Structure formats: C-alpha cells, structure tokens
Amino acid sequence: MEWLELFELALPVMLKGALYTLMFALVSMVLGLMLGFSVALVRVARLPVLSQIAAVYVSAMRGTPLLVQIFVIYYGLPGIGIEFDPVSAGILALTLNVSAYLSESMRGAIVGVSQGQWQAAQSLGFGWWQSMRYIIAPQALRLAVPSLSNSLISLIKDTSLVSVITVTELMLATKEVIAQTFQPLPLYLAAAGIYWILSASFERVQKRVEARLEASYRR
Amino acid sequence: MSSMISINNVNKWYGDFQVLTDCSTSVSKGEVVVVCGPSGSGKSTLIKCVNALEPFQKGDIIVDGISVGDPKTNLPKLRSRVGMVFQHFELFPHLTIVENLAIAQTKVLGRSKEEAEAKGIKLLERVGLKAHAHKHPGQLSGGQQQRVAIARALAMDPICMLFDEPTSALDPEMINEVLDVMTELAKEGMTMMCVTHEMGFARRVADRVIFMDRGHIVEDCSKDDFFGTPRSERAQQFLSKILQH
C-alpha cells in the first residue's frame, strides 16, 4: 500500500478518534478538578465521617488499576442495575480516578501554606471558608500546579484505556485502521505521535499558567 | 478607666504540658501594656488567646465586654475588631500591598473596593510606604513589611491592637522604624498589648509591664516599678541579662 493511500485512509478515522480522546481528557479534567478540590477541602477541614470516606476513596482509587475501575463501572455495575453507555462510563471512571490524585496534590499544597497565613487571615475576621478562598487556596494553587499537571498529563494518556469498553477514541480508531490495512508500525507510531502532541500542548498551557502565577508574586 | 481586655484565671494545656497557669490581668482603654519574659514563658500563647487564635481550657477572657471563650461568641466578628501584628509579618504574598490592606475591609466589613483602597493608601502614607502600594510583599524589606502589617490591622479600625514580638524577626537597623510607628500609635491613645523584648520601647511607651515565666504572670506592675525594683528574683535576673547591652 502506498504511503499516501494509507495516510488518506487513516487520517480521518484517527483524527476523529483523537477528538474523542481530547474530549475525554478535557471533560474528566474539569470534573476531576472540581471533585478533587471538594475531596481536598473535606480532608483539610477534617469533617467527621466525610473525611474518612474521602480518605478511603482516595486510597482505593490510587491503589487499584484504572483498567479494573473501568471494568467494574462498565461491566460490573449493570449487575446491580446501574448501567452506563460507554462514553459516560469512561468519563466517570477517568474522573473518579484522576480526582483522587488531584485531591492529594491539592491537599498537600493547602497544608503547605504556612499556619501563620491562616492566623493572619483569621485575625482580620475571615472565617474558615473565607480564609481558604481568599488567602490559602490562591497560594496553594501556585504550589500545586506542577504536580496537578503531572496528573493531568497522565490523564491524557490514560484515556487510551477506555478503548476497552468500545469507545472509538484514538487508540481503538488506530486499531480499526490497522485491521483494514495491516500496517501496525506506522499507525501505532502515528497514534503515539498524536498523544505526544496533545501532552506537549498541555505542557505549554501549564508553563503559561505557572508563569502567570509566578508573575503575580514578583511584579 | 474601663477595661478593654480582661484576662481571668486563664489555663492552657498542650496535652499534659501546662503552658499557661492561672493568668490574670487586664488592659484598660488607652493603656499600653508590654508583656515580656524568657522564651517559652507563654507570652505569645497568652496574647494569641486574647483573640482566640489559640484556644484555652480554663478561665475566661473578656474583650470589650465579649467573652472570647464562650462557644456562642462570633469569633470572626470579634477578631475583625482586634488588630494583630505577627512576628513574621504574615502579609499575603499573592496580593499587592494595597490589596493586602483592602481585602479584609471589603470581604469582612463590606466596604466598597474604592473606599477600602482609599483608606489603605491613607494608612500607607501614614507609615511612610505609599510609594510601595502596588508592589508585592516580597519586594519590601522586613521593616517595611511589618509597617504594612500594622497598617493592615489599622485598616479594620480596631478597638485595640495586639503585637506578638513585632520586631523579633527584623534586622537591627529596621527595628526602630517599626517601633516608631508603634510609639506614634500609642501616643494617639490606641489600646495596645505588646509582647516584646524591646525594653527601650517599654520604658518610653508602656504604662504597665507584665513579666511572665513558665506560664505564670510573675510581675504585673507600672513600668516605673518594673524598671525600678521588680519584686521577683526571676524578673531581676531577666532584666539584668537583657539590659546589659
């Protein structure tokens, strides 16, 4: 098969798959950040019962393979009458998984802001939530960005795992083209290249965010 | 004179270790009280109990008629009326100087941003730092940061001010600029409770001196009595060590 022909055949399918991959990554990222922040808050505030539940959740999500989590949600839960379509199941699994990692990064960063900053905020009349929102969280964000980015880059790559539940994202799309063309090496390399481009673009976003947060300290 | 801060038999423990034992004293309106004593004597802990940054287990503290230890007390509201200056300044590093002064005015007192910033600028002018309004704390020297911290507390129109070793983290040449601001504040009639080792400041400005040792208030007397003839041997030792230089 000619290169050009292969390219023409593979490109539209793989680009469509890449769009799915991007969608999975972005949606899980946003939901994961929200859930992760809530989990971090519950644990930092040491809310009784809730914070224990949160700790177990984080430990379970970090201590079991994402692949197993996807299987439990998509193939397991229907056994007790909870059914998801593949896209929802994929987003749910990725969100639950990444938010556990994100919550730990945020919790570490929040705890890393000195006790003196809490005291200063409280001495001015800020309550717990106001101290968190206006004083602690903005500083924690700056501390957390590098490790949050790590988890988010992993997330982009982890989306390939939802191919196992019949979602035609980049990985499964690639496999389908290979089934027609029997050209695994160039096509898998192309898929790897696309993942790399996605991750590298995200790294650039991260650099920009970091530079902006840093600038507000020095200006 | 009516009492602004009244501390009655306050006891505090960290686990089994008692850090404050039966501490009682009071600060009248307009009075300047210096709290001194060796490190580990509990003076910082005591002053942090006054605005409930540190909890205590026994006794009571009344600030302007409001009980600090009462679980029903709205602590954020009480704290918003009591200014506090910390050893390590604790300016908010992610905000500019004027934002540092404005944020609690807007979020806690509900003032408009314009009003809060105008007041902030006025107070910066007063501590001689108006030119730095739009810098970040990290760009200022320690002495400048501490003057900003004092201005930040004043921006809330406090009924009294607590100082927790405000000059202990400063280079020697910066101590006086901070003490000058504090002296001026005292002359204007601000009620002040200051934990400090600056005996010169105590001599010039204080009305009363409290000496603490191992969690007890050992000496609580007028400044003249304290620097003249302190009654306790422990205070005499402390003074002889600290006043040699």
Side-chain angles (χ1 to χ4, degrees):
Chain A
M1 191 178 274
E2 289 300 316
W3 285 111
L4 191 66
E5 219 175 308
L6 179 65
F7 187 74
E8 275 176 359
L9 187 77
L11 189 70
V13 182
M14 287 180 64
L15 276 187
K16 199 173 158 222
L19 278 182
Y20 261 99
T21 290
L22 192 61
M23 183 276 291
F24 272 108
L26 288 178
V27 173
S28 311
M29 213 176 266
V30 172
L31 295 178
L33 283 168
M34 294 195 296
L35 181 61
F37 186 53
S38 314
V39 170
L41 282 185
V42 162
R43 294 191 70 186
V44 171
R46 290 172 206 244
L47 298 181
V49 188
L50 273 182
S51 102
Q52 275 87 0
I53 294 174
V56 171
Y57 156 74
V58 170
S59 171
M61 284 296 149
R62 299 206 305 171
T64 57
L66 175 57
L67 190 59
V68 174
Q69 294 163 17
I70 293 172
F71 273 50
V72 166
I73 288 173
Y74 186 67
Y75 294 113
L77 289 184
I80 54 167
I82 306 171
E83 279 188 51
F84 296 100
D85 60 87
V87 172
S88 312
I91 287 174
L92 184 64
L94 290 170
T95 300
L96 288 177
N97 182 272
V98 79
S99 83
Y101 288 90
L102 296 176
S103 79
E104 278 301 89
S105 303
M106 294 192 222
R107 190 170 71 97
I110 290 169
V111 172
V113 177
S114 80
Q115 204 57 34
Q117 290 284 302
W118 278 102
Q119 293 197 343
Q122 291 182 327
S123 79
L124 290 164
F126 284 117
W128 190 89
W129 172 244
Q130 281 186 317
S131 304
M132 176 60 82
R133 176 163 169 209
Y134 298 114
I135 307 303
I136 306 301
Q139 297 182 57
L141 181 64
R142 176 168 165 272
L143 295 174
V145 166
S147 90
L148 291 179
S149 305
N150 264 342
S151 302
L152 294 175
I153 286 176
S154 293
L155 171 66
I156 293 173
K157 296 177 291 176
D158 287 346
T159 55
S160 63
L161 288 173
V162 301
S163 63
V164 298
I165 53 172
T166 73
V167 178
T168 317
E169 42 62 74
L170 180 54
M171 190 63 197
L172 193 55
T174 308
K175 278 188 188 164
E176 282 174 4
V177 182
I178 291 169
Q180 291 169 37
T181 60
F182 308 105
Q183 291 282 355
L185 183 62
L187 290 172
Y188 279 135
L189 282 178
I194 294 176
Y195 280 115
W196 192 4
I197 290 169
L198 289 176
S199 302
S201 319
F202 181 80
E203 266 176 63
R204 292 194 56 169
V205 174
Q206 173 207 347
K207 289 251 160 59
R208 242 188 239 173
V209 171
E210 261 179 50
R212 266 188 66 176
L213 288 170
E214 207 62 44
S216 75
Y217 274 66
R218 295 227 181 99
R219 223 181 318 161
Chain B
M1 267 199 285
S2 59
S3 166
M4 177 66 78
I5 302 168
S6 159
I7 299 173
N8 310 311
N9 288 310
V10 166
N11 286 267
K12 178 179 171 65
W13 289 265
Y14 286 126
D16 285 338
F17 181 68
Q18 186 157 15
V19 273
L20 296 176
T21 309
D22 290 329
C23 293
S24 296
T25 187
S26 71
V27 181
S28 304
K29 267 188 190 129
E31 202 176 19
V32 176
V33 173
V34 160
V35 184
C36 61
S39 59
S41 60
K43 47 199 195 308
S44 284
T45 307
L46 182 66
I47 203 172
K48 282 181 176 168
C49 284
V50 172
N51 63 352
L53 287 182
E54 290 276 0
F56 49 91
Q57 285 82 29
K58 244 177 85 184
D60 199 12
I61 297 178
I62 313 284
V63 177
D64 195 34
I66 297 165
S67 164
V68 174
D70 186 344
K72 289 194 289 286
T73 298
N74 181 344
L75 285 178
K77 190 167 178 210
L78 178 67
R79 291 189 188 117
S80 73
R81 302 171 63 217
V82 177
M84 182 145 203
V85 175
F86 297 86
Q87 182 177 0
H88 296 289
F89 333 132
E90 303 300 350
L91 296 180
F92 305 133
H94 60 301
L95 301 175
T96 64
I97 299 303
V98 69
E99 285 167 347
N100 262 276
L101 270 69
I103 188 160
Q105 290 186 67
T106 55
K107 305 301 179 193
V108 175
L109 302 181
R111 291 176 184 159
S112 74
K113 193 163 177 263
E114 296 73 37
E115 190 189 353
E117 293 198 343
K119 185 170 181 89
I121 298 278
K122 226 165 93 186
L123 283 163
L124 283 178
E125 201 164 10
R126 183 171 155 185
V127 297
L129 293 168
K130 193 182 166 193
H132 301 278
H134 298 287
K135 291 185 180 168
H136 278 78
Q139 296 168 290
L140 269 55
S141 72
Q144 290 172 328
Q145 289 192 49
Q146 195 60 299
R147 280 144 68 198
V148 172
I150 295 173
R152 179 176 71 179
L154 292 176
M156 303 295 283
D157 295 320
I159 53 173
C160 61
M161 289 280 287
L162 308 173
F163 292 85
D164 182 16
E165 305 206 29
T167 57
S168 299
L170 294 175
D171 290 336
E173 75 267 25
M174 293 173 182
I175 289 174
N176 280 332
E177 61 188 76
V178 172
L179 292 181
D180 287 346
V181 172
M182 290 170 63
T183 304
E184 200 184 312
L185 206 55
K187 281 189 187 144
E188 287 166 18
M190 177 61 80
T191 307
M192 293 164 60
M193 190 167 173
C194 315
V195 172
T196 182
H197 295 295
E198 298 297 331
M199 288 301 121
F201 171 79
R203 235 183 245 255
R204 276 199 320 274
V205 181
D207 297 305
R208 274 184 23 243
V209 177
I210 290 170
F211 176 78
M212 289 185 72
D213 188 31
R214 278 174 260 169
H216 295 261
I217 291 182
V218 179
E219 202 95 31
D220 182 354
C221 54
S222 76
K223 113 179 120 177
D224 293 334
D225 286 351
F226 185 75
F227 289 110
T229 50
R231 277 157 286 182
S232 68
E233 203 178 306
R234 194 67 191 82
Q236 288 170 14
Q237 278 176 2
F238 177 76
L239 275 179
S240 72
K241 274 182 195 150
I242 213 164
L243 291 180
Q244 269 171 4
H245 308 287

